[in-house]
Amino acid sequence: IREPYEGQWALPGGPLEADEDLAASARHTLERTTGLTPNYLEQLYAFGSLDRSPDDRVVSIVYWALVQPDEVARAVDGENVEWFVADELPLLAFDHSEIVAYALARLRAKITYTPIAYGFLPQEFTLAELRSVHEAVLRTSLDPANFRRQALAGDTLIPTGNYLQGTSHRPPALF
């Protein structure tokens, strides 16, 4: 990043190539900067306030991706790529702190009415793992019995018929 933001972190980005649509450009930028090709990529919002950049007028069509823990371990680890806890970010360049805040607010809202939490989980998971994702995103503890009742009442969980092995008590069902 150049002055006046030199030394600050910024979200990955780049110009839209003439031969790419928006989603392809977002996917390409993420792959180029992190080496990742996540399964979930969604357009978040368009940011275009007049003072976004000190040099030129810049409009950003921002996409977000959900990245699973095993993907993070495979990500490019270079001087320009680093992972941060979303609620504990350093000051970011440009208006990127506002973009992250918007994404977090959107994720926290969306997790309450869509199955977006599944994007953070492996193919098969337990209800405790699903609750753990909800608790991490919402930054609060959830009552296990109430969470279980509400999760099973929806139409999105499909029991696999498999159970988690290696537990010292009754093995939990996998979904």
Side-chain angles (χ1 to χ4, degrees), residues 10 18 27 30 32 37 55 81 84 90-91 96 107 116 124 127-128 131 133 138 154 156-157 161 165 168 171:
R27 190 170 296 286
L30 187 62
R32 180 177 39 83
T37 54
D55 299 329
V81 177
F84 294 96
L91 181 63
H96 293 190
L107 177 61
I116 196 168
E124 291 187 332
L127 283 176
R131 188 182 78 244
V133 169
L138 297 171
T156 59
L157 283 177
Q165 300 302 314
S168 59

Side-chain angles (χ1 to χ4, degrees), residues 126 161-174:
T126 65
N162 297 327
Y163 294 87
L164 186 64
Q165 300 302 314
T167 61
S168 59
H169 50 284
R170 189 175 118 206
L174 294 170

Side-chain angles (χ1 to χ4, degrees), residues 38-41 65-71 107 110-135 137 147-159 174-175:
N39 294 325
Y40 184 91
L41 184 71
L66 301 185
V67 180
Q68 296 183 351
D70 65 322
E71 291 178 299
L107 177 61
K110 208 167 180 171
I111 202 167
T112 64
Y113 66 89
T114 71
I116 196 168
Y118 303 159
F120 293 106
L121 294 165
Q123 185 82 19
E124 291 187 332
F125 55 87
T126 65
L127 283 176
E129 290 170 323
L130 179 60
R131 188 182 78 244
S132 177
V133 169
H134 280 257
E135 290 176 338
V137 169
F147 181 83
R148 177 182 182 78
R149 182 179 41 76
Q150 291 172 348
L152 293 175
D155 295 334
T156 59
L157 283 177
I158 301 170
L174 294 170
F175 294 87

Side-chain angles (χ1 to χ4, degrees), residues 26-44:
R27 190 170 296 286
H28 175 252
T29 298
L30 187 62
E31 186 175 3
R32 180 177 39 83
T33 57
T34 66
L36 298 177
T37 54
N39 294 325
Y40 184 91
L41 184 71
E42 178 186 350
Q43 190 178 108
L44 176 65

